Amino acid sequence: MGGASAFSQHPARPFAAPAAAESTGRAPGAPIVPSSPAFRPAPPATSPASAPVDAGARESRAGVFILSGLAALLVVLAGASLIALLWDRIPDITKIGIVGVVALASVVGGTFWARRGGRPSIPAATLTGIGTALGYVAGIGTAILGVLAPIGAFVVLLVWSIAMTLVASRERMPFTLVATAVGGIATLTMIDRHSFDHPEQALLALALTTAYSAAILASAAFCAFTAAAGRSRLALLASSMAVTAPATFLTNLREAWETSAPVASVLHGVLLVFAIGSILLTIREDRGLMWNWAWIGAGLLVVISFLQVGSVVRGSASAELWVVLAHLLFLVLSLIVAGSRRLAGPGLGVAEPALVVAALIIGAVSGVEPPRSAWVILGVWTVLVGAGWSLTRRGSWLPLPILPGLGFASVMIGHSTRLEGVVLLLVMVTAIAGTVWADTRLSCPRWAGMTASWLTAATASFSVPWMLSLLVDDGAWFRQSPSAALCAVLGLTVFSGLVLLGLSSPRIRPADLWLARARLGRTGVDDVMGTSERTGLFPPFLVLGVGFVLMHVLPEVFDELVHGSFVAGGHGAGGVLVVASEFLLALALVGTAAVLAWAVGPVSWARAHGVLVVVVGAEAARLACHAVTGVAELGWPQTLAVLLVGAIAIWGGFAWRASAVRLTGLALVILTVLKLAVIDLGFNDSISRIVALFVAGMICFALSVLYSRMSARARAEDGTGDRSFSALSAGADPALGRSDEAVDRSSWRPPTV
């Protein structure tokens, strides 16, 4: 062992033994020597004692590799310098023959050297690699010097590449594979240069490049899955990937396209298939998942291919569309492969983001004009859905917040044709359906599930109705039709339905929401007490806030209430259908407020929730009167409606034991009565003013009696008192002005209204 040799070189240094030394059978004060078992126990197999040996082996291996590489480089440079010095004095055939003979001798010598050693040898592999490189030099030289026709030189290089791949696989020589990959790229570069020098042969050069890529991929795959194993198999596939990937853009595609567009497009597509196929084989073979990052290269290759082909077909609208759709289809197929463990093996989740980014780039730079751009949007969305499907199969919950977020944001893309609008509407619907499907197969953090639920709700209650309204927008016909009001009714109805299905719960998931798995969504103490106060009370407050915004935004977006273009001119021009749509809108506003109050009522003991419940109800009543009457100002009909909401709030505050609700209702009643008596009818000296004041007084008197009786009844009841979150365990009841420490709060349930 390394430790023993180290101690044998230095004398033992005595020192005082610890008190525990007696247990080792050694006299106190005796020196500790290296051979003592108490001093150096035998290290285990994984002990750090073997680290110096491993470090030394790695250092030796690295040194051998570096020196072998330098030797190969110097030999190749020496040969090139000798040829350059005597270049003009040597016939071309002699030059090629000498280099070829030296290459063949080096390969044969390195192979026999490796076989005699019985195991892979770095010097032998270096000699074989030098011969491989010189063979490529000889093959390319036959084409440059005109010793052979281009087809003949190509055949020589093709045969040499296949032979060197077989040798590298048989003898496990890494330098040979490196030289084969570099030589293959040099061969493709030579073919590409020839196509630019002779444009009339560009299509032939493209065919030769395709054939060369096919041969390299086939030979490497054959050797990898028949003769090699382990790292050698991975090295073979990686070397083929290094050749087939650049082949997609080392072509004179423009000249080949002008010769024959169908043949050129097919050959280019085959090249792209070979490139992605080699990347896929390498990733599938890599058990360490390091090569998963090659998916970034796959997406980049598709983008480069699109830019290359797109520059060739620019100016033809139909051809540009087909090019975009073909590349997007290729990305979809790649995602299907990436989502299959049998085809792509285990993954790190790199493929989906890389291919999605490629799709977004293609969609952004496509430049396809409407109405054909609708198909581009559909193709990009198909790639996004495919990425979500692949991630879901791998068990990733990322599609849950991303898919509905994209569906909600798709309304901002805008459209100039009805076809684009229909496609965007399809995007929104499939985003919701895909999110629900993914949620049935995944587990995710609570915040991700709640976020996905809210994004699907926003898409269904806002984006979809908005897009529907834009689809029926057709100038003056739209402003005199009930379509806008019906779209607003749709949005409010969908939102109310989702609230009934449990949108206000902090535990809601998309599948529970849309498949009606949860109980009717009344947020009770069970939902709140299962989380922190902040987490449990936030979703109900968010429901109230979003409902309040939708009541204003939906009619305003559809040009319904604020500008009055529909309501003001609808009565005389639209007939019964217009009037019916106005009443439907008013009913939807009131119904939404009622649903929100029903759902959030049990937690309205929270001050913010109680105040907002009353505010939402009052605003819904005002907007409903506005929709029916067509009057934007806050006149006496709106005031009476708000007064009614205040009276209901006082009753509901007592029923829910929510002081914030009843106090807000009381303040609302006071303000509306004063406004009705002083502002609305204050400048009227007729009998109507007297009647209004008398009615206002009677209303206030009736509410005072109601308030007094309900307050007394609440104090007399032996209820559970306080509804505040912190007092559920403390026992205080500030809402009723008493403290009851003896009441058991663990079984508290919201009262039935």
Side-chain angles (χ1 to χ4, degrees), residues 58 452 745:
R58 287 196 298 269
R745 308 293 180 179

Side-chain angles (χ1 to χ4, degrees), residues 189-280:
T189 305
M190 180 198 71
I191 298 173
D192 183 43
R193 180 180 177 182
H194 178 79
S195 66
F196 279 96
D197 294 338
H198 303 278
E200 69 280 359
Q201 297 183 359
L203 187 62
L204 176 61
L206 180 60
L208 295 179
T209 301
T210 306
Y212 188 82
S213 298
I216 291 295
L217 180 60
S219 59
F222 173 79
C223 295
F225 295 108
T226 56
R231 294 183 178 179
S232 299
R233 177 180 295 181
L234 181 61
L236 278 166
L237 297 174
S239 67
S240 68
M241 179 183 66
V243 176
T244 55
T248 55
F249 52 86
L250 288 177
T251 57
N252 188 1
L253 185 60
R254 182 178 296 276
E255 299 295 338
W257 196 279
E258 292 179 357
T259 303
S260 177
V263 176
S265 60
V266 170
L267 292 177
H268 182 80
V270 172
L271 277 177
L272 190 59
V273 170
F274 287 160
I276 304 298
S278 63
I279 293 176
L280 176 63

